[in-house]
Amino acid sequence: MNTEVLRVDPVVPDPAIIARAAELLRAGRLVAFPTETVYGLGANALDAAAVRSIFTAKGRPATNPVIVHVAEPTQVLNVAASWPETASCLATQFWPGPLTIVVPRKPGVPDEVTAGGPTIALRCPNHPVARELIRAAGVPVAAPSANRSTEISPTRAEHVFKSLNGRIDLLLDGGPCSGGIESTVVDVTGPVVRLLRPGLITVPMLEEFVGTVEVLTRTGADDGDVVRSPGQLARHYAPQTPVVLFDRGWPDLDDAVMFSILDGKRATTLEFGEARPRRPELLRDSLHCVFMPTSPDEYAANLYRMLHEADDRDADLILIEMPPDTPEWAAIRDRLSRAATRA
Ligand code: TXA
Ligand code: MG
C-alpha cells in the first residue's frame, strides 16, 4: 500500500494535519517529517515495538542507536538519567537547532532506542513542523534519517517517498530542508566533549562555549576498536552511483572526465565554485556538470539533492572536487568521503 503524503506549510503547519500525524505516532505508527537538517522517520521513543518498526522499515542494523527528538529542552529529563553542565550549556547555545547531545539514559527507555547502550542521543530540532508534531504527540520522538539504511539522507519529501514508500504510514511534505546534512553529534558523558559526527555546528563554534573538543578520527568499523558512535561506519550516506573524489584543482578532474568519456561513461561532476572554461573535446552530452556553492551552508543545503539527482540521471560515475580542508568544511568533507566509500 502506498504511503499517505500530506502537504504541510513549513512555517505555520496546519494544526489538523499535525494532530493527525501525532495521533499516528501515539498509536505506534511511523511518520516521516521535515527537520531543519534532513527528513526524520519518527516513532514514539517510549514504545519499543514502534521503535523496532523503524529498524524494519529502514533495514537498519539493531546495533545502531537512534536520536530522540524533543519539543522543549525540559523534556530531556523524561529520558536522560542526568543532564551534565556541558549539555545544559550547549543546549542553551544551540537548541533548538542541528546539535545532538549524547548523555546517560534513564532506565525505562526501550533498549531499541539506545541499542542496549548506557547513553541516549537527544536533539531539539528547529523546524516548526517537527516541533509542533513532537509537542502534539506529547512523547519524545525517535527519528533517524528517513531513508533505507546506507542510502543518502533525504532533504525533500520526494527523496523519502522514493526510499520508503509503502514501508511507513505517513509522510508530511514540508518542502526542502534548509540545513541539508545531519546534525552534529557530541558526547558529553566524559571529562571532555567528544565529537561523534561533524555537522553544521562546527568544532570552533562548540569550542567557544565548552573548551577543547575531542575529535574522533577513526570512523571505520575495521580498526579493531569499539565503534563509539555506531552510525559512523565508513559506508554511509552513499549514492547508488560510484563516487570519486578529487583535490581541488582543475587538471585531475579534467583528466578523469576525459577517461570517463573515452570509456563511454556518463559522468556527473560536482565542481567547486563557478564554471571554468573546459576543453571543447570534453563538452559532451554524456557529461553533466554541477557547480557547487562556495559557502559551506549553501553547499550543505544542496549536496544530498545533487547526489539524489545524479542517481536519478543514471550516471555511471560521480566525480567530485573537494572543498577546502578547513573546519567550516569538515562536515561536508566527511559526508563526501563516506559517499565515496564502497564497502
Ligand atoms: O539531523 C539529524 O540528526 C537527523 C534528523 C532526522 O534529526 N537524524 C539522523 O539520525 O541523522 P540517524 O539515526 O541517521 O543518525 C544518528 C546518529 C548515528 O551516527 C548514531 O550512531 C548516533 O547518532 N547515535 C545515536 N544514539 C547514540 C548514542 N547513544 N551514542 C552515540 N551515538 C549515537
Ligand atoms: Mg541516517
Side-chain angles (χ1 to χ4, degrees):
M1 209 176 63
N2 272 358
T3 292
E4 184 183 4
V5 182
L6 293 175
R7 279 263 179 95
V8 58
D9 187 308
V11 183
V12 188
D14 178 348
I17 295 178
I18 294 295
R20 183 165 147 55
E23 198 182 311
L24 284 172
L25 285 178
R26 278 196 305 271
R29 314 298 282 273
L30 298 183
V31 177
F33 59 92
T35 81
E36 78 279 31
T37 58
V38 300
Y39 272 75
L41 175 54
N44 176 357
L46 304 178
D47 178 341
V51 176
R52 271 199 299 279
S53 64
I54 292 181
F55 286 80
T56 310
K58 283 179 62 86
R60 179 176 174 115
T63 48
N64 190 359
V66 292
I67 295 174
V68 172
H69 297 67
V70 294
E72 301 300 333
T74 49
Q75 240 189 322
V76 299
L77 294 173
N78 299 330
V79 285
S82 65
W83 192 241
E85 186 69 35
T86 38
S88 170
C89 167
L90 289 171
T92 305
Q93 293 305 325
F94 298 108
W95 279 6
L99 179 70
T100 296
I101 305 175
V102 173
V103 294
R105 87 190 249 203
K106 206 169 190 166
V109 172
D111 275 343
E112 284 79 358
V113 170
T114 65
T119 59
I120 183 165
L122 295 167
R123 173 161 117 79
C124 179
N126 185 19
H127 189 295
V129 172
R131 290 192 81 186
E132 292 302 325
L133 175 63
I134 302 162
R135 200 173 284 141
V139 290
V141 173
S145 51
N147 52 281
R148 301 294 308 269
S149 193
T150 79
E151 287 178 358
I152 331 161
S153 290
T155 56
R156 302 187 162 225
E158 303 87 274
H159 302 158
V160 180
F161 194 79
K162 187 171 73 173
S163 185
L164 294 174
N165 179 28
R167 302 179 148 259
I168 62 177
D169 298 288
L170 176 65
L171 162 57
L172 294 180
D173 177 356
C177 301
S178 57
I181 58 174
E182 305 81 354
S183 62
T184 305
V185 181
V186 291
D187 180 339
V188 301
T189 59
V192 290
V193 175
R194 282 196 324 227
L195 180 79
L196 300 183
R197 179 173 75 184
L200 294 176
I201 309 280
T202 63
V203 167
M205 287 163 78
L206 296 167
E207 288 186 333
E208 197 178 321
F209 302 101
V210 294
T212 305
V213 169
E214 184 191 338
V215 177
L216 289 180
T217 48
R218 279 184 304 228
T219 51
D222 50 1
D223 55 18
D225 196 6
V226 176
V227 180
R228 281 193 282 193
S229 187
Q232 296 304 287
L233 302 178
R235 179 176 161 79
H236 211 92
Y237 321 109
Q240 309 292 315
T241 315
V243 170
V244 186
L245 305 178
F246 295 88
D247 281 336
R248 280 181 75 197
W250 198 230
D252 282 356
L253 182 72
D254 242 11
D255 284 350
V257 165
M258 173 71 106
F259 283 122
S260 72
I261 288 172
L262 291 175
D263 274 359
K265 294 211 162 116
R266 293 165 55 81
T268 290
T269 62
L270 299 196
E271 306 184 27
F272 191 75
E274 298 282 294
R276 286 146 293 188
R278 180 149 256 159
R279 302 208 295 272
E281 66 270 29
L282 299 184
L283 301 172
R284 298 289 180 92
D285 286 346
S286 60
L287 179 67
H288 181 83
C289 303
V290 178
F291 302 95
M292 298 297 285
T294 52
S295 107
D297 287 355
E298 280 177 55
Y299 194 112
N302 287 287
L303 173 61
Y304 288 162
R305 178 166 60 90
M306 294 310 177
L307 295 178
H308 278 286
E309 283 180 13
D311 271 351
D312 291 345
R313 205 178 290 121
D314 279 332
D316 299 303
L317 263 180
I318 306 174
L319 307 171
I320 303 181
E321 185 179 24
M322 289 293 265
D325 190 2
T326 55
E328 66 270 27
W329 289 97
I332 288 164
R333 290 174 61 92
D334 168 78
R335 301 309 189 276
L336 291 174
S337 330
R338 289 168 199 285
T341 305
R342 314 218 48 96

